C-alpha cells in the first residue's frame, strides 16, 4: 500500500509538479481512500518525505546493480553513464524527485525532512562507486568531484536541454563527458 501511494505521488509530482500535487489527487491516482492514505501519511509533508525516501531507495538499488556490472568490467564507464541517463535521470521518478528538491529549497520544514535523506543517498552512492571508480580518479576528492559533476550534469540536462527536446544535443553532451573522463584516466 505504501509503495502504491508513493508511486502515485511520484506520478503526480512528475506530471503536475509539487504545488499542484494534493492528497486528493494522489488518492485518485493511487486508487485508495483518503483514510487509507492518511493512515500511512497524515500530511502532504509526510507523504512527500516518504516518496523522496522511496525514490532515493530505488536509485540506490540501481547503483547496486551497476556496481555489479562494473565489477565485471571496470572499463564500462561510458556504458554505465549512458544507461544512467536512460534508467535514472530521464525518468518520471527523477522528475518527481526534482520537484521535491526544488520545493525543499524554499520550504524550511520540508528541507529539514529531505536534506538528511539526500545526504545519506549521496554518501551511499559515493561509497558504492568509490572502490570501482578509484582507478579512473587520482584520489578520493577527484572521484567525489567526478561523481558530483556527473550528477549535476545529468540533472542540468533534464531540467534544461530535455525541455528543448533536443536528443542529439543531450547525447552529444553525455558523450563529451564520457570522453573527458576517459581522457583524464589515460593521463
Amino acid at each position: 500500500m505504501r509503495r502504491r501511494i508513493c508511486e502515485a505521488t511520484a506520478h503526480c509530482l512528475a506530471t503536475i509538479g509539487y504545488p499542484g500535487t494534493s492528497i486528493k489527487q494522489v488518492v485518485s491516482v493511487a486508487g485508495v481512500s483518503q483514510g487509507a492514505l492518511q493512515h500511512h501519511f497524515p500530511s502532504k509533508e509526510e507523504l512527500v518525505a516518504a516518496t523522496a525516501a522511496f525514490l532515493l531507495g530505488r536509485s540506490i538499488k540501481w547503483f547496486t546493480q551497476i556496481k555489479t556490472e562494473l565489477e565485471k568490467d571496470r572499463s564500462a564507464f561510458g556504458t554505465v553513464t549512458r544507461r544512467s541517463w536512460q534508467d535514472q535521470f530521464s525518468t518520471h521518478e527523477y522528475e518527481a524527485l526534482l520537484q521535491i528538491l526544488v520545493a525543499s529549497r524554499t520550504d524550511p520544514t520540508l528541507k529539514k525532512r529531505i536534506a538528511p535523506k539526500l545526504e545519506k543517498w549521496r554518501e551511499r552512492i559515493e561509497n558504492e562507486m568509490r572502490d570501482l571508480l578509484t582507478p579512473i580518479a587520482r584520489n578520493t576528492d577527484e572521484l567525489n568531484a567526478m561523481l558530483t559533476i556527473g550528477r549535476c550534469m545529468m540533472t542540468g540536462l533534464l531540467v534544461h536541454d530535455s525541455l528543448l527536446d533536443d536528443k542529439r544535443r543531450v547525447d552529444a553532451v553525455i558523450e563529451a563527458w564520457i570522453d573527458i573522463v576517459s581522457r583524464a584516466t589515460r593521463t
Side-chain angles (χ1 to χ4, degrees):
M1 176 68 80
R2 290 176 64 87
R3 188 189 89 195
R4 184 169 151 192
I5 293 169
C6 286
E7 286 173 346
T9 304
H11 173 80
C12 289
L13 289 165
T15 57
I16 58 176
Y18 179 81
T21 297
S22 67
I23 288 179
K24 182 179 177 182
Q25 288 168 317
V26 174
V27 163
S28 176
V29 171
V32 299
S33 69
Q34 187 166 335
L37 184 142
Q38 290 190 305
H39 170 74
H40 293 285
F41 310 106
S43 67
K44 182 177 177 179
E45 179 187 299
E46 290 286 328
L47 177 61
V48 170
T51 300
F54 170 75
L55 295 172
L56 292 170
R58 281 193 169 183
S59 177
I60 289 169
K61 288 178 186 173
W62 187 88
F63 275 101
T64 301
Q65 176 187 348
I66 290 303
K67 179 179 179 182
T68 302
E69 290 180 28
L70 283 172
E71 286 172 336
K72 293 177 186 173
D73 181 7
R74 289 182 183 244
S75 67
F77 177 78
T79 302
V80 167
T81 301
R82 289 180 203 96
R83 282 199 37 231
S84 181
W85 171 252
Q86 292 300 317
D87 297 352
Q88 284 279 97
F89 290 94
S90 62
T91 66
H92 282 298
E93 288 182 345
Y94 197 73
E95 289 174 2
L97 184 60
L98 280 178
Q99 288 290 323
I100 295 169
L101 297 178
V102 170
S104 297
R105 287 186 59 242
T106 57
D107 181 332
T109 305
L110 190 57
K111 181 178 182 176
K112 188 175 174 181
R113 299 287 306 271
I114 301 302
K117 293 172 182 7
L118 190 60
E119 179 66 22
K120 283 183 183 179
W121 172 84
R122 188 183 72 185
E123 287 174 6
R124 285 219 32 211
I125 297 302
E126 288 178 357
N127 287 335
E128 287 284 327
M129 303 309 282
R130 185 169 287 121
D131 292 339
L132 292 169
L133 297 180
T134 297
I136 69 168
R138 290 182 284 256
N139 56 50
T140 301
D141 289 338
E142 185 176 89
L143 174 65
N144 289 341
M146 287 169 57
L147 291 169
T148 299
I149 291 167
R151 184 175 60 248
C152 292
M153 177 200 67
M154 295 291 201
T155 301
L157 285 173
L158 178 64
V159 171
H160 184 269
D161 290 279
S162 286
L163 290 175
L164 301 176
D165 201 24
D166 189 350
K167 184 179 175 349
R168 284 190 312 156
R169 179 175 169 80
V170 169
D171 291 344
V173 170
I174 291 170
E175 291 306 316
W177 172 242
I178 292 167
D179 185 56
I180 289 166
V181 172
S182 297
R183 276 188 279 132
T185 62
R186 286 185 238 135
T187 59

